[in-house]
Amino acid sequence: MIDDFLYGTAGHAGATAEVEAAVRAAAAAEILPRYRQLAAHEIVEKSGPHDLVTAADRLAEEHLTASLTRLLPGSVVVGEEAVHADPAVYDALGGDAPVWIVDPVDGTRQFVRGEPGFCTLVALARHGEVYASWTYAPVLDEIAVAVRGRGATLNGTALHSGSPAPGAVLKVAMSHPDYTSDAQKRALLGLRTEGIDARACGSAGLEYLAVACGAQDGVAFNWEFAWDHAAGLLLVTEAGGSQSTLSGAPFRITGGNDLPFTAARDEATAGRILDALRTGRQD
């Protein structure tokens, strides 16, 4: 079902371009008109001042829910705002139906501040496996698309993550240690060591894109919401990169991962980051 949808059948092209058009349309209709135009009543705190939702988040997710399920009948949507309203929605990740995983505005704080570093994330999955993803930064006019087994592109040009130069200091974006458990905080602080230049992350989707482009060496995150990671993890791996949780097992979008986890430009770089995380956790 998903293969036919993505790759097409005899006489019919795949639908990846139609999904891209749907993502662009949602941003054009609901996000960009509110960029630097948000009224105070359109911004609401969810769990706290670092967890915001805006009218653009809610309306773009509603727009995408309608358009994506129309493109693939029988599919369902697991969106950040829908799950906030009803946590049971998340259970669809383990069901039989194809699932659209949607983060309508990844980097909401940046969006609220009027900065361009935010994006819309969409991934298509089934039975916990991610088949395709779309990462769209509307202000930057960048769209990255990944299809499992078929590579990744940025604005139509193939992406290759490459490898850091031998002996180079690794540039790594990480979760802020203050917003985590004590054990995960110790692990993340292990990145503040010689040979690694670690900084707090911005939009997770754009951090993954930087890794896929080779502009950044890796990321290390301590939370596992699928809407933040499904699109980016496929993007990095299809660009030639590598990903792993602290236990050495691949990250599972359905949850239950040994955190933190990393995605990096290549397997060796992922190994260096994991070694630093493990050392930090033991300290």
Side-chain angles (χ1 to χ4, degrees):
M1 181 181 187
I2 289 182
D3 284 351
D4 288 347
F5 175 76
L6 290 174
Y7 310 139
T9 55
H12 298 281
T16 54
E18 292 177 301
V19 178
E20 177 180 333
V23 173
R24 288 180 179 274
E30 307 296 355
I31 299 173
L32 286 175
R34 294 176 172 86
Y35 179 57
R36 297 179 175 172
Q37 301 294 326
L38 284 169
H41 71 273
E42 293 182 304
I43 307 168
V44 177
E45 291 184 11
K46 291 194 284 189
S47 62
H50 299 286
D51 186 14
L52 303 176
V53 62
T54 72
D57 296 75
R58 291 185 288 99
L59 293 170
E61 185 169 311
E62 291 172 7
H63 192 293
L64 285 165
T65 297
S67 60
L68 295 174
T69 53
R70 189 165 52 246
L71 282 175
L72 182 56
S75 63
V76 297
V77 173
V78 171
E80 179 174 6
E81 306 315 323
V83 172
H84 179 70
D86 179 7
V89 170
Y90 206 76
D91 296 340
L93 290 175
D96 290 330
V99 180
W100 297 101
I101 305 169
V102 174
D103 190 343
V105 181
D106 179 66
T108 300
R109 283 179 293 168
Q110 287 81 4
F111 178 69
V112 167
R113 291 196 296 258
E115 299 169 359
F118 65 91
C119 61
T120 297
L121 300 174
V122 171
L124 179 59
R126 188 167 185 241
H127 294 152
E129 296 291 329
V130 182
Y131 287 82
S133 74
W134 295 260
T135 299
Y136 179 45
V139 176
L140 303 175
D141 193 27
E142 293 182 342
I143 188 156
V145 181
V147 179
R148 191 173 71 165
R150 302 207 174 191
T153 61
L154 175 61
N155 291 349
T157 300
L159 282 176
H160 301 287
S161 57
S163 298
V169 173
L170 299 182
K171 295 183 290 184
V172 179
M174 67 175 186
S175 304
H176 196 296
D178 286 352
Y179 310 121
T180 186
S181 70
D182 287 344
Q184 291 169 7
K185 180 184 297 186
R186 290 195 302 272
L188 288 168
L189 291 175
L191 294 173
R192 292 181 175 164
T193 187
E194 185 177 357
I196 297 178
D197 178 14
R199 61 167 177 81
C201 69
S203 155
L206 295 185
E207 302 289 9
Y208 280 116
L209 177 56
V211 175
C213 292
Q216 180 167 279
D217 299 312
V219 294
F221 294 131
N222 72 308
W223 79 94
E224 55 183 354
F225 294 127
W227 49 76
D228 286 317
H229 305 301
L233 286 170
L234 183 68
L235 184 65
V236 169
T237 54
E238 286 298 321
S242 180
Q243 61 103 339
S244 175
T245 63
L246 207 57
S247 68
F251 181 91
R252 298 184 301 273
I253 63 168
T254 48
N257 296 285
D258 186 13
L259 303 171
F261 71 97
T262 187
R265 293 174 65 187
D266 60 14
E267 187 174 359
T269 304
R272 285 180 62 187
I273 294 171
L274 287 171
D275 286 345
L277 292 170
R278 292 174 182 134
T279 297
R281 188 160 73 170
Q282 293 167 2
D283 288 345

